Amino acid sequence: MTAHPNIARDEDMAISINGRDVALPDDPRGSLADLLRDDLHLTGTKIGCNQGGCGACTVLLDGARVLSCLTLAVQAEGRRVTTIEGLAEADQLHPLQAAFIAQDGFQCGYCTPGQICAAEALLRELAEGLPSYVTADITAPAPLSAEEIRERMSGNLCRCGAHPGIVAAILQVAEERAA
């Protein structure tokens, strides 16, 4: 059995994708979204507009959200990429995945992987005290509120109108983590 052509060898430059080292693509012009979907068959990452306007392609790069359709794969060299497939642990859903189900935070599900990745980054931002546009006092930790969540999730669109469930799911996980 031959090795998959995208599995990195020690001498190759690589990207860690969901904990696995992956070789950089031969063509440096390829997007991270294309590498994930076309080469690695990680189809949870969606390509909606392919212009960075919808957020369906959101993944985590070293824990921060990025639009993978606008990120060259080579920009992730030596860094850690986490997709929706990499959030869950074995057969256990990630808490945000479970909350999205419990709170009906999806309808068609197309935007859900990007929404969940963005929500994980949002929770990290809040935990680090990073302000947003609607944070009233930028010298204090940003408060957990529906308004704060809506602002931080504004780059991730849901055409089905599941935003109330998305906000409820994020609030649920934030409260669970605070407990």
Side-chain angles (χ1 to χ4, degrees), residues 108-122:
C108 79
Y110 189 83
C111 71
T112 306
Q115 295 275 1
I116 291 173
C117 286
E120 179 62 24
L122 175 155

Side-chain angles (χ1 to χ4, degrees), residues 56-72:
C57 67
T58 304
V59 298
L60 302 174
L61 184 60
D62 293 334
R65 61 181 119 184
V66 297
L67 299 170
S68 63
C69 74
L70 297 181
T71 305
L72 295 175

Side-chain angles (χ1 to χ4, degrees), residues 94-97 99 120 123 168-178:
H94 184 277
L96 279 165
Q97 291 170 316
E120 179 62 24
L123 292 171
I170 296 168
L171 282 169
Q172 175 187 322
V173 173
E175 291 167 2
E176 289 169 0
R177 288 184 182 178

Side-chain angles (χ1 to χ4, degrees), residues 131-144:
S132 77
Y133 179 75
V134 298
T135 305
D137 180 359
I138 62 170
T139 64
L144 176 64

Side-chain angles (χ1 to χ4, degrees), residues 50-170:
N50 211 23
Q51 298 176 1
C54 71
C57 67
T58 304
V59 298
L60 302 174
L61 184 60
D62 293 334
R65 61 181 119 184
V66 297
L67 299 170
S68 63
C69 74
L70 297 181
T71 305
L72 295 175
V74 297
Q75 290 176 284
E77 179 184 341
R79 299 175 75 188
R80 188 179 31 107
V81 174
T82 306
T83 68
I84 190 70
E85 293 91 347
L87 283 178
E89 304 243 348
D91 292 336
Q92 184 75 20
L93 289 176
H94 184 277
L96 279 165
Q97 291 170 316
F100 266 63
I101 293 168
Q103 298 294 338
D104 198 24
F106 63 93
Q107 286 184 23
C108 79
Y110 189 83
C111 71
T112 306
Q115 295 275 1
I116 291 173
C117 286
E120 179 62 24
L122 175 155
L123 292 171
R124 181 175 167 232
E125 293 165 7
L126 283 172
E128 293 175 359
L130 299 175
S132 77
Y133 179 75
V134 298
T135 305
D137 180 359
I138 62 170
T139 64
L144 176 64
S145 67
E147 179 185 32
E148 193 71 44
I149 291 170
R150 283 191 298 272
E151 169 61 25
R152 291 172 189 262
M153 293 296 290
S154 64
N156 290 80
L157 305 179
C158 172
R159 292 187 175 116
C160 298
H163 289 289
I166 292 167
V167 171
I170 296 168

